[in-house]
């Protein structure tokens, strides 16, 4: 069974992926997100996805993480396939299954003429699912190969205000405690006869019964924690020193430069191509650029 | 003296026309134009196929100043079936008066291929004298295979201009089926509309035809846009125009001389109901008078849909999110200094609870419910994403009714999600930042946060959160459609933003006030 622990906790090893500077990882993730939403060519999208997956092999991820990844990817891609099979709205489209008949009372009218599963939508969903799959995979790879403290240092290194980074540290540190508390409260509620899975007003009632004690503990903890932090001179000085200094290696610099350059180039090429197809801007000198966008991106 | 001059002037004027009439003698070839075209429009030898209904065009014009009676007889080969009388008589009274007729005839299907002579004879009677003028032409009746070899569609240009020429600034083999709003059209000049009706878009198809044979060929060019899979015509591309079937407008006629190439354009009308996708453009070339398509050319075309609404919403949402983040980064010290340390800790812990109670279970449940329940999964996921989330937000605002509290909470959620589940996605960034901005602005405007805050007004809190979530929900769908190229039906979006966006959020915010009041007692 895939638990919260297998999703949340990083696996620390000494591989090239683990050694990469957290700032470099964040910048690579942002660049990849731009590339993923820009691409339209299925082959290039698949290539990007496979390239990201190869990172898991480089990072020598344990089997449980790979199973978690596979499980999440299957759900994600299937969810996209399913939704697109239903909502696909371009031609040609072939109905392979009818969920709601157009003349079905109320629902037929509500769905504006029935609900069908389209064959071409399945294909479209599979291709478009690669986009989300690429971003999710890279996000998980980074999370699973980076210690949360290093990640926070990376964020501060990227000029995220210290107070925000501090809030994040607090949130990350208290996450296991709060997960345990939520689980304990649910167990107690069950023992008292509540059913947390009951649909409708039951779930609201259960939520209130779970949230009230959990959040009450948080409120109580807040006072103690605030005093403790302030006594350690939190926000007393405008600048801070850090025990661990982050340093970009040469490889990090090359990777970050290559990724940012590739992302900017791809975004600009696609932007120019979309301006051309929309009739907004065209110049004959950019024909090779249009050809690259049409053929490969 | 004056009388003598006047007398001579009258004499000259009276005598001159009579003298001219006497002088002019009738020259049939010089004083008439007699012409025959078979079929109509073809000068020289025509071409036909068996089974054609054709018209021979006979034209007679007089340049003679006087009466003439003409008897015109058209002599067709016996095997042709004449559908009109072959003999016509008429009178022409003055110079430049003319006469013409279309004489219909039928070329039988089983007529052997060959060259057939057609003769038109005009007997002109002028002042009792008869003159005969003869015109001859030839009609080549060819087999279907022969004609199909002679005519070729050498180019299909779509979209094209009114003359059929392609425009390199538009992608070839593509159609733009949905344009932007009229105001934006004017602003960006992105349209190629050529008609005034807003529900119809039009462009042109350029068709280049080559006649490789030695006969002049009159042709009619038509087209159909077919479903690429079923090969059925798509009605959205042949809408009724001014009450008429589009077929009555969407054709072109052309007379191809031997060894020539010509380019014609055919208008193409697209109705609003047209969907984007791949289609098959089928151009048919028929010989005039025949329903048989001599040449058929298919070309795959792509219909491009420009949904400017979602594009603009995505752009505005992204800009709003980036502006909000830039504003926060530029004034982070002032903003953060407004919060006590215990406020920051509380916001962080609420962020953790929301992550533990919503994000973490929903990482799997969201996908699982989508996979299982399909379009109706929002009824289930909304319980977590809307009710639970807004319970937390409303209770947090009750505890810390300050501007900026929701933004910090959202920021913690976003960063935590990115750190733990890798969800540093553009969608998450845009939707969360938009949601934060809307909630902040609306809560401040409604007096929930600010100098004299009133966070315990359940109805106000519910309405504010509901409207903010509906707006951010709608923007979120636009972002999914634009950045992830996904499709969503209008009914689905509507149901989602009404049930999830408003109803669930309202319920969550309503109960969030109760939760906040309970927590307040704990804090006190």
């Amino acid at each position: 069974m895939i638990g919260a622990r297998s999703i949340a906790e990083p696996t620390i090893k000494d591989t090239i992926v683990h050694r990469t500077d957290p700032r470099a990882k964040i910048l690579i993730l942002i660049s990849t997100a731009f590339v993923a939403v820009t691409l339209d060519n299925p082959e290039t999208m698949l290539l990007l996805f496979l390239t990201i997956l190869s990172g898991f092999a480089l990072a020598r991820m344990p089997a449980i993480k790979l199973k978690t990844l596979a499980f999440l990817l299957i759900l994600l891609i299937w969810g996209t396939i399913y939704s697109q099979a239903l909502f696909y709205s371009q031609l040609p489209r072939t109905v392979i299954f009818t969920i709601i008949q157009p003349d079905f009372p109320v629902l037929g009218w509500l769905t504006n003429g029935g609900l069908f599963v389209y064959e071409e939508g399945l294909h479209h969903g599979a291709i478009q699912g690669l986009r989300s799959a690429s971003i999710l995979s890279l996000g998980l790879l980074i999370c699973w190969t980076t210690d949360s403290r290093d990640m926070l240092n990376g964020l501060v290194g990227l000029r995220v205000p210290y107070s925000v980074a501090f809030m994040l540290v607090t949130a990350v540190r208290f996450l296991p405690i709060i997960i345990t508390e939520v689980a304990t409260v649910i167990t107690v509620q069950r023992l008292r006869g509540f059913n947390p899975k009951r649909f409708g007003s039951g779930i609201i009632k259960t939520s209130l019964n779970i949230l009230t004690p959990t959040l009450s503990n948080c409120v109580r903890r807040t006072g103690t924690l605030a005093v403790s932090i302030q006594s350690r001179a939190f926000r007393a000085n405008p600048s801070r020193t850090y025990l661990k200094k982050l340093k970009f290696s040469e490889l990090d610099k090359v990777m970050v430069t290559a990724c940012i350059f590739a992302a900017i180039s791809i975004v600009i090429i696609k932007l120019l191509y979309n301006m051309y197809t929309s009739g907004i801007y065209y110049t004959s000198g950019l024909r090779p650029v249009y050809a690259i966008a049409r053929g490969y991106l | 003296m004056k009388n003598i001059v006047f007398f001579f002037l009258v004499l000259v004027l009276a005598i001159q026309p009579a003298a001219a009439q006497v002088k002019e003698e009738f020259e049939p070839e010089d004083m008439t134009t007699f012409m025959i075209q078979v079929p109509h429009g073809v000068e020289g030898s025509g071409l036909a196929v068996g089974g054609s209904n054709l018209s021979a065009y006979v034209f007679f014009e007089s340049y003679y100043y006087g009466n003439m009676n003409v008897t015109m007889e058209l002599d067709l080969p016996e095997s042709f079936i004449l559908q009109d009388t072959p003999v016509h008589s008429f009178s022409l009274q003055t110079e430049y008066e003319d006469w013409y007729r279309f004489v219909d005839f039928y070329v039988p299907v089983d007529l052997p291929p060959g060259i057939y002579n057609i003769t038109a004879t005009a007997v002109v009677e002028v002042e009792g004298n008869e003159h005969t003028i003869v015109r001859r032409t030839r009609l080549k009746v060819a087999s279907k295979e022969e004609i199909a070899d002679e005519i070729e569609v050498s180019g299909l240009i779509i979209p094209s201009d009114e003359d059929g020429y392609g425009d390199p600034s538009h992608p070839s083999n593509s159609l733009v089926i949905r344009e932007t709003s009229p105001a934006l059209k004017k602003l960006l000049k992105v349209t190629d509309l050529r008609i005034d009706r807003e529900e119809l878009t039009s462009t042109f198809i350029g068709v280049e035809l080559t006649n490789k044979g030695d006969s002049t060929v009159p042709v009619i060019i038509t087209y159909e846009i077919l479903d690429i899979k079923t090969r059925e015509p798509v009605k959205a591309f042949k809408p009724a125009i001014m009450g008429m079937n589009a077929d009555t407008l969407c054709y072109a006629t052309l007379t191809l001389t031997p060894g020539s190439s010509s380019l014609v354009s055919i208008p193409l009308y697209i109705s609003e109901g047209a969907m984007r996708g791949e289609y098959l453009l089928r151009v048919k070339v028929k010989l005039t008078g025949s329903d048989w398509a001599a040449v058929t050319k298919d070309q795959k075309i792509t219909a491009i849909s420009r949904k400017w609404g979602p594009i603009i919403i995505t752009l505005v949402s992204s800009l709003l999110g980036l502006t909000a983040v830039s504003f926060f980064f530029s004034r982070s010290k002032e903003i953060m200094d407004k919060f006590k340390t215990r406020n920051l800790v509380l916001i962080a812990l609420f962020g953790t609870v929301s992550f533990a109670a919503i994000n973490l279970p929903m990482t799997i449940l969201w996908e699982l419910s989508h996979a299982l329940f399909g379009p109706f999964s929002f009824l289930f996921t909304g319980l977590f994403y809307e009710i639970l989330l807004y319970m937390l937000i409303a209770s947090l605002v009750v505890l810390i009714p300050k501007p900026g509290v929701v933004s910090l909470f959202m920021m913690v959620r976003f960063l935590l999600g990115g750190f733990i589940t890798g969800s540093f996605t553009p969608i998450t960034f845009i939707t969360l930042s938009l949601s934060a901005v809307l909630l902040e602005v609306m809560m401040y405007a409604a007096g929930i946060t600010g100098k004299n805050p009133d966070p315990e007004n359940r109805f106000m809190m519910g309405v504010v959160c509901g409207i903010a979530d509906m707006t951010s929900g709608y923007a979120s769908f636009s972002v999914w459609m634009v950045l992830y190229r996904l499709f969503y039906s209008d009914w689905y979006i509507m149901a989602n933003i009404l049930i999830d966006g408003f109803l669930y959020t309202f319920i969550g915010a309503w109960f969030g006030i109760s939760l906040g009041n309970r927590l307040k007692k704990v804090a006190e």
Side-chain angles (χ1 to χ4, degrees), chain A residues 37-38 40 78 84 86-87 90-91 110 120 124 128 131 143 151 155 171 222 230 235 276 278 280 282, chain B residues 168 171 190 228-229 276-279 306 336 339 341-342 352 367 371 375 388 418-419 484-485 487 489 491:
Chain A
V37 298
T38 310
D40 278 307
W78 170 243
Q84 293 314 290
L86 299 174
F87 299 131
Q90 63 179 31
L91 286 180
L110 188 76
E120 289 78 9
H124 179 77
Q128 299 307 323
R131 209 184 293 282
C143 289
M151 190 74 103
L155 272 186
T222 300
Q230 275 184 324
R235 296 204 288 192
Y276 157 58
S278 303
I280 294 170
Y282 165 81
Chain B
V190 295
I228 206 161
K229 227 169 175 181
R276 68 193 225 187
E278 304 285 327
Y279 294 92
R306 286 182 194 145
M336 297 309 279
F339 291 93
T341 305
R342 64 179 293 140
T352 316
E367 303 295 356
L388 272 187
F419 274 58
Y484 283 47
R485 327 290 194 271
F487 297 103
S489 297
W491 69 265

Side-chain angles (χ1 to χ4, degrees), chain A residues 28-166:
Chain A
I28 290 169
L29 177 62
I30 293 168
S31 309
T32 310
F34 273 99
V35 173
V37 298
T38 310
L39 291 177
D40 278 307
N41 185 294
E43 287 84 10
T44 315
M45 281 162 70
L46 183 64
L47 186 69
L48 176 73
F49 179 59
L50 293 176
T51 308
I52 291 166
L53 286 189
S54 66
F56 285 86
L58 277 177
R60 298 204 306 270
M61 278 287 134
I64 180 73
K65 296 281 188 205
L66 294 178
K67 276 183 195 169
T68 308
L69 174 74
F71 182 68
L72 289 175
L73 286 178
I74 289 167
L75 285 179
L76 174 78
I77 294 174
W78 170 243
T80 318
I81 288 174
Y82 194 10
S83 75
Q84 293 314 290
L86 299 174
F87 299 131
Y88 188 72
S89 61
Q90 63 179 31
L91 286 180
R93 57 179 187 179
T94 317
V95 175
I96 52 171
F97 188 72
T98 303
I99 294 178
I100 299 170
Q101 292 282 358
D103 52 359
F104 193 86
V106 186
L107 283 179
W109 166 82
L110 188 76
T111 53
N112 203 14
L115 194 60
F116 309 95
V117 175
Y118 297 104
E119 187 188 332
E120 289 78 9
L122 296 170
H123 184 240
H124 179 77
I127 292 169
Q128 299 307 323
L130 283 176
R131 209 184 293 282
S132 320
S134 298
I135 298 173
L136 175 75
S137 306
L138 188 59
L140 286 175
L141 178 65
I142 290 173
C143 289
W144 290 343
T145 56
T146 316
D147 182 64
S148 59
R149 193 179 301 179
D150 290 341
M151 190 74 103
L152 289 168
N153 280 346
L155 272 186
V156 175
L158 290 172
R159 308 264 171 100
V160 170
Y162 179 72
S163 301
V164 175
F166 159 76

Side-chain angles (χ1 to χ4, degrees), chain A residues 2 4 7-8 26 29 33-34 36-40 71-72 75-76 78-80 82-84 86-94 100 107 110-112 114-115 119-120 124 128 131-132 135-136 139-140 143-144 148 151-152 155 158-161 163-164 166-168 170-172 174-175 178-179 182 199-200 203-204 207-209 211-212 214-216 218-223 225-226 229-230 234-235 238 270 276-280 282 287 294, chain B residues 168-172 176 188-190 227-229 234 275-279 304 306-308 328-329 332-333 336-353 355-357 360 363-364 366-368 370-376 379-380 383-384 387-388 391-392 395 399 408-409 411-412 415-426 480 482-489 491-492 504 507 511 514-515 518-519 522-523:
Chain A
I2 292 161
I7 296 174
I26 294 169
L29 177 62
F34 273 99
V37 298
T38 310
L39 291 177
D40 278 307
F71 182 68
L72 289 175
L75 285 179
L76 174 78
W78 170 243
T80 318
Y82 194 10
S83 75
Q84 293 314 290
L86 299 174
F87 299 131
Y88 188 72
S89 61
Q90 63 179 31
L91 286 180
R93 57 179 187 179
T94 317
I100 299 170
L107 283 179
L110 188 76
T111 53
N112 203 14
L115 194 60
E119 187 188 332
E120 289 78 9
H124 179 77
Q128 299 307 323
R131 209 184 293 282
S132 320
I135 298 173
L136 175 75
L140 286 175
C143 289
W144 290 343
S148 59
M151 190 74 103
L152 289 168
L155 272 186
L158 290 172
R159 308 264 171 100
V160 170
S163 301
V164 175
F166 159 76
M167 288 167 74
L168 198 59
T170 312
V172 171
F174 277 88
L175 187 64
I178 287 172
I179 290 174
V182 170
F199 198 78
I203 207 158
I204 300 170
S207 306
L208 271 171
N209 289 329
L211 284 180
T212 309
T214 312
L215 290 171
S216 298
C218 288
V219 172
R220 280 193 207 102
R221 198 174 285 128
T222 300
L225 200 59
I229 292 161
Q230 275 184 324
F234 174 66
R235 296 204 288 192
K270 282 292 281 188
Y276 157 58
T277 55
S278 303
I280 294 170
Y282 165 81
R287 276 185 195 162
R294 191 194 279 251
Chain B
S169 69
H170 288 86
S172 57
V176 176
L188 298 175
K189 293 181 181 172
V190 295
D227 184 308
I228 206 161
K229 227 169 175 181
V234 181
M275 276 198 274
R276 68 193 225 187
E278 304 285 327
Y279 294 92
I304 303 165
R306 286 182 194 145
K307 287 188 172 178
W308 286 98
F328 175 77
F329 271 67
S332 59
K333 195 169 178 336
M336 297 309 279
D337 284 351
K338 284 179 185 168
F339 291 93
K340 293 175 188 168
T341 305
R342 64 179 293 140
N343 291 157
L344 296 182
V345 173
L346 190 63
I347 295 168
L349 292 182
F350 264 70
T352 316
V353 173
F355 189 79
L360 218 47
T363 304
I364 291 173
W366 196 84
E367 303 295 356
L368 201 63
H370 269 69
L372 292 175
F373 305 129
F376 302 105
L379 295 170
F380 170 73
L383 294 172
F384 288 86
I387 295 181
L388 272 187
M391 271 168 76
L392 283 169
S395 58
L399 292 172
L408 286 176
F409 173 75
M411 198 180 288
V412 172
L415 291 172
L416 210 52
F419 274 58
I420 309 296
T421 56
S423 54
F424 269 132
T425 66
W480 279 105
V482 174
L483 295 186
Y484 283 47
R485 327 290 194 271
L486 300 182
F487 297 103
Y488 293 103
S489 297
W491 69 265
Y492 177 73
Y504 281 6
I507 294 168
F511 285 101
S514 310
L515 182 63
R518 282 192 219 173
L519 294 175
V522 176

